[in-house]
Amino acid sequence: MPIIHVQNSYVIPRGRMYFDPFDANGALTGEFALGNCPDVNIAIETEKWQHYSSEQGLQEKDAGGSIRVDRTGEMNCDNFSPRNVALWLSGEHTVATQAATPVTGELRTVLPGRIYQLGSTDANPLGVRNVTAITVKDEAGTTTFDVGDDYNVDPETGRVQITEDGAITAATVVQFGYTPVAGTYDAVQSGANSELTGALRVVPDNATGPNDDVYMPKVSLTPSGNLALIAEGTEPIVMTFGIEVLKAANKQAIYRAGRPVPVP
C-alpha cells in the first residue's frame, strides 16, 4: 500500500464572540454577544530555565524546561452597542427615562453668540434632548425674547444659541422654558475599573476549516488604544481590548474542541 499522508486542515477563522462577566463575588452572570469582532488573537510567551554543565571546558546545556507561560491577546470590536461602549469605558450602561415635565425658570447667565444646553446639571451633564415649547425670557420673567431674532433653537439636541445682534446683551441672566418629550434612551458613563474579568467564548463559523469552539474560563479585558470620535475616512472605527488569559481554579486556561457528530 502507498504511504498515507496527513490530511491538512486549513482555517480561515470567522465567528461570534461572547463575554460572561464576573459579579462582585466572582460568579459568572451570563454571556452576552459582543457583535462583530473582526480581529481576535491570542499570543503565548514561554519562559524557560536552563542549566549548563561545568564538568568540562565547553559548557553544554544538560537540562532545562518551561517554568512560566503568559497568554495574552487583543480583540478589536466595531459593534458600537451601548453595552460594548460601557465595557470599553469600564463603565455602566443604563436605560434612562425622560419625563414630559414642563420646565420653567431655568436660570442661566448667557453671552451673545454662545450656545447653551438645556437641562444640563451635575447629575445630568448631557442635559435634555428632544424638547418642545422652548422659550427664553428675562430674569424676572416679564419679557419674552423672540426666536429667530434674539435666539435660535435646535429642539432635537435641546440647544439654544443666543444671537449676536439681538436684544439679549452680554452677561444677561435669562430664564429658559421647555417641555421634554417623554421617552427612554440608552445612557453610558465611564467608570473607575481599568480592567474587567469574566469568561470569553468563541463560537466559530469559519470560512474554511473545522468549527472548533474556544472557551477561556477566566480572562481580564483591558480597554486600550484610541477611539475616534470624529474621523475623515469611511472605515468603521473599532474598540480595542487587551486580553490576558488567566487560569481559573480547577480549570485549564483555554479549551478548544470540535462538536460531536451523531453516530449513524
Side-chain angles (χ1 to χ4, degrees):
M1 292 183 62
I3 293 175
I4 300 175
H5 296 287
V6 171
Q7 178 66 46
N8 293 306
S9 179
Y10 303 108
V11 177
I12 300 177
R14 305 283 191 269
R16 301 180 186 275
M17 299 295 301
Y18 297 87
F19 183 60
D20 190 348
F22 292 139
D23 64 14
N25 297 317
L28 294 171
T29 56
E31 299 178 5
F32 65 87
L34 294 172
N36 191 55
C37 296
D39 185 20
V40 182
N41 61 75
I42 296 294
I44 297 179
E45 183 177 342
T46 302
E47 181 180 336
K48 290 187 172 185
W49 69 275
Q50 302 176 79
H51 182 271
Y52 292 86
S53 171
S54 299
E55 294 183 328
Q56 58 187 24
L58 177 64
Q59 286 190 316
E60 294 183 278
K61 186 188 297 184
D62 61 356
S66 299
I67 57 172
R68 180 177 298 163
V69 61
D70 286 329
R71 302 178 180 94
T72 59
E74 188 175 82
M75 175 175 65
N76 291 324
C77 183
D78 59 13
N79 172 34
F80 272 74
S81 67
R83 189 192 297 271
N84 283 359
V85 174
L87 193 65
W88 196 82
L89 293 175
S90 302
E92 181 182 8
H93 164 232
T94 59
V95 177
T97 300
Q98 178 170 281
T101 303
V103 175
T104 58
E106 184 175 296
L107 297 176
R108 194 80 61 89
T109 301
V110 298
L111 296 172
R114 303 295 177 89
I115 300 173
Y116 300 90
Q117 178 67 50
L118 298 176
S120 180
T121 63
D122 290 341
N124 181 26
L126 281 172
V128 297
R129 275 90 61 211
N130 201 356
V131 297
T132 63
I134 298 174
T135 61
V136 180
K137 299 180 180 182
D138 65 358
E139 184 176 8
T142 56
T143 300
T144 300
F145 296 106
D146 296 324
V147 63
D149 293 328
D150 303 320
Y151 65 95
N152 300 314
V153 298
D154 182 357
E156 182 179 357
T157 60
R159 291 164 67 76
V160 177
Q161 179 187 46
I162 308 302
T163 60
E164 293 277 6
D165 53 359
I168 302 175
T169 58
T172 297
V173 177
V174 300
Q175 289 188 25
F176 290 130
Y178 54 90
T179 300
V181 172
T184 59
Y185 59 94
D186 291 300
V188 174
Q189 61 182 22
S190 61
N193 295 324
S194 60
E195 60 182 30
L196 306 126
T197 55
L200 198 62
R201 186 186 301 272
V202 183
V203 179
D205 186 9
N206 294 330
T208 186
N211 288 322
D212 292 342
D213 297 305
V214 177
Y215 184 66
M216 291 162 270
K218 185 178 182 181
V219 303
S220 171
L221 295 183
T222 306
S224 64
N226 298 322
L227 180 64
L229 300 180
I230 297 177
E232 186 176 346
T234 57
E235 292 295 321
I237 60 176
V238 300
M239 292 173 284
T240 298
F241 296 87
I243 302 173
E244 186 173 12
V245 184
L246 306 172
K247 187 180 183 303
N250 304 314
K251 295 183 179 71
Q252 297 302 321
I254 301 177
Y255 294 87
R256 183 185 183 106
R259 298 164 187 172
V261 177
V263 177

